[in-house]
Amino acid sequence: MKKLFLVAVMAVGMLSASAQTKFGYINTDELISLMPEAAKADADIKEYQSALQKQGQTLQVEADQKRDQYFKDSATLSASMKEIRRDDLVKLYARLQNYEQEMQEKSSQFAQTKIAPIQTKALEAIKAVSKEKGFSYVFDLAQGHLLVMPPGDNLLAAVKTKLGIKDTPAAAPTKPAGN
């Protein structure tokens, strides 16, 4: 009888412990799209991208004009002047080719600076609501990962021990041959 009572007490304890663990979920992409700040950030990003594209178009027009002028003047130019102008054209077209990648990088960096504060605000609100509502875990449907979770232990050291993996000292940088 004592054993039965002990098992019943343990079962009730486990049930109450599992009842305290609440799971929730949210789609952060949907949440962020509904935030007023997102519309402003989106407009700012589009404006910035438009300005970058206009700058690229101006660069393209300049390159085309210089190319056309070079062909127009090439019959009257000396060999050394042709070479100088040709080199200038090559540099200008190389700059134009690199501009597309530069434009993508600048646009991405600008967008990140506009979106990061909105994401932070959304995450803080999610954490606050999960705490108020007693959720232990909140999953992000958009990104497929946990947004809120109780602190836990890193199991790496224990699993390494279980597998017999020993810590190795950090590898010293190798010197190039001939030094």
Side-chain angles (χ1 to χ4, degrees):
M1 185 71 149
K2 228 179 187 182
K3 286 183 183 181
L4 184 59
F5 178 73
L6 184 60
V7 170
V9 168
M10 288 176 59
V12 168
M14 288 183 358
L15 286 175
S16 66
S18 67
Q20 293 173 353
T21 302
K22 287 177 66 176
F23 294 88
Y25 60 88
I26 189 167
N27 184 327
T28 55
D29 288 349
E30 182 179 353
L31 172 65
I32 289 171
S33 72
L34 297 171
M35 295 172 68
E37 301 94 326
K40 171 76 170 105
D42 190 45
D44 290 348
I45 291 166
K46 285 180 181 175
E47 181 182 326
Y48 185 77
Q49 289 172 336
S50 178
L52 288 174
Q53 287 174 343
K54 284 180 184 175
Q55 186 178 2
Q57 290 168 349
T58 301
L59 188 59
Q60 179 69 51
V61 168
E62 178 187 347
D64 291 345
Q65 288 173 346
K66 286 189 176 189
R67 180 201 61 211
D68 293 345
Q69 190 65 42
Y70 170 79
F71 287 130
K72 182 180 176 185
D73 296 343
S74 65
T76 60
L77 293 174
S78 68
S80 60
M81 275 307 290
K82 279 184 184 180
E83 186 175 337
I84 290 170
R85 286 217 184 148
R86 191 178 319 117
D87 288 346
D88 288 345
L89 276 175
V90 167
K91 289 175 186 174
L92 186 56
Y93 276 100
R95 182 172 162 223
L96 187 60
Q97 286 178 334
N98 291 333
Y99 184 76
E100 182 70 30
Q101 181 178 351
E102 181 183 329
M103 185 175 74
Q104 293 293 333
E105 290 171 3
K106 283 182 177 181
S107 180
S108 178
Q109 289 171 351
F110 183 80
Q112 186 57 35
T113 63
K114 290 292 184 177
I115 294 170
I118 298 168
Q119 290 172 324
T120 301
K121 183 178 179 181
L123 183 59
E124 293 303 317
I126 291 167
K127 287 179 179 178
V129 168
S130 68
K131 186 175 182 178
E132 290 168 11
K133 302 286 185 184
F135 287 98
S136 300
Y137 298 91
V138 177
F139 294 93
D140 182 358
L141 296 177
Q143 305 297 323
H145 62 272
L146 282 170
L147 295 173
V148 177
M149 68 197 105
D153 293 329
N154 184 349
L155 300 178
L156 180 62
V159 173
K160 283 175 25 182
T161 302
K162 180 78 169 177
L163 293 172
I165 299 171
K166 297 186 188 319
D167 286 330
T168 57
T174 57
K175 294 182 181 178
N179 284 1

